[in-house]
Amino acid sequence: MLNFSNYARTLEGVRNGSHKSFVDLYKQYKPLIEAKCAEYADSIETDELRQICTIALYNAALTFDLSQDRVTFGKYASVCMRNALIDEIRRQKRQIGKATEDIEGVESIYASAEDELLEKEGYTELTERFRLALSEYELTVFSMYLNGKSYRDIAQYVGKSEKSVGTALARAKAKLRKIADNL
């Protein structure tokens, strides 16, 4: 454990850009980072959790007020990590919500395009165009979504993260919109 003078010196080193100081600080707080990763493991991928916590630790080292004695650096770093993780979860939920809105828009485009194309070329040809435009992964994700599956259910089925599912749905939406715009 670092005593106060070593601890203050380590934080000052981080503030002055010392890589070694940050490595020392990271080693000291790695158990805290791992605890935070375990606490939020259901929400975000582990590597992303570690990255968010490591950045939060660095920012905490830069912003901690060494002149006060009411809050320890460990508590301050813990709160910074928690806040960073919560911010990221909120950001991802907004992103998933946006992707959901976009997909719902694609569903209506898909339905409109389907009706239009039935008159022009037939349903089979439209379906084939969509299938050719989408990768196997995008087609699987999009089909499951259209069948009412949640991002979590889809992610579990395909063995990917919810973020990956959202990205695949966004790509599928863009490709389908392009096809619909060219009808």
Side-chain angles (χ1 to χ4, degrees):
M1 208 47 129
L2 297 174
N3 65 38
F4 182 75
S5 63
N6 285 342
Y7 159 80
R9 208 170 322 151
T10 300
L11 291 181
E12 286 300 323
V14 171
R15 292 173 185 179
N16 291 325
S18 167
H19 178 72
K20 182 188 178 319
S21 293
F22 183 70
V23 169
D24 291 344
L25 186 68
Y26 178 83
K27 286 177 184 174
Q28 170 102 19
Y29 286 93
K30 188 173 181 182
L32 176 62
I33 289 172
E34 293 304 319
K36 290 296 179 187
C37 289
E39 187 177 338
Y40 290 89
D42 291 341
S43 303
I44 304 175
E45 291 181 13
T46 305
D47 289 340
E48 193 172 351
L49 288 168
R50 280 191 192 98
Q51 185 178 36
I52 292 165
C53 288
T54 301
I55 291 168
L57 177 65
Y58 178 75
N59 288 331
L62 296 179
T63 58
F64 183 70
D65 183 2
L66 286 167
S67 66
Q68 63 82 37
D69 61 359
R70 295 178 313 275
V71 178
T72 65
F73 176 74
K75 182 64 176 171
Y76 181 73
S78 178
V79 169
C80 289
M81 287 178 206
R82 187 196 79 224
N83 290 345
L85 290 166
I86 289 170
D87 285 348
E88 179 61 18
I89 290 166
R90 286 178 180 155
R91 187 192 68 74
Q92 286 186 11
K93 283 184 180 179
R94 283 191 306 270
Q95 202 172 33
I96 287 171
K98 172 81 172 94
T100 300
E101 290 172 15
D102 290 345
I103 291 299
E104 288 168 356
V106 168
E107 288 171 346
S108 67
I109 289 170
Y110 181 83
S112 300
E114 181 180 16
D115 292 341
E116 208 174 297
L117 208 56
L118 275 172
E119 294 172 12
K120 292 180 182 179
E121 299 174 47
Y123 177 74
T124 305
E125 189 172 333
L126 172 64
T127 304
E128 192 59 32
R129 277 187 181 186
F130 284 167
R131 286 178 196 218
L132 290 173
L134 302 178
S135 71
E136 185 176 332
Y137 177 61
E138 290 165 340
L139 186 59
T140 300
V141 168
F142 189 69
S143 296
M144 291 181 73
Y145 180 80
L146 290 178
N147 286 316
K149 300 296 182 191
S150 70
Y151 278 54
R152 177 171 278 162
D153 291 342
I154 297 168
Q156 288 175 345
Y157 179 79
V158 297
K160 302 274 186 171
S161 69
E162 287 183 43
K163 186 175 180 181
S164 174
V165 167
T167 301
L169 286 171
R171 281 194 316 266
K173 170 204 63 99
K175 289 177 181 180
L176 296 178
R177 182 172 290 149
K178 187 174 182 178
I179 290 170
D181 288 345
N182 290 326
L183 292 178

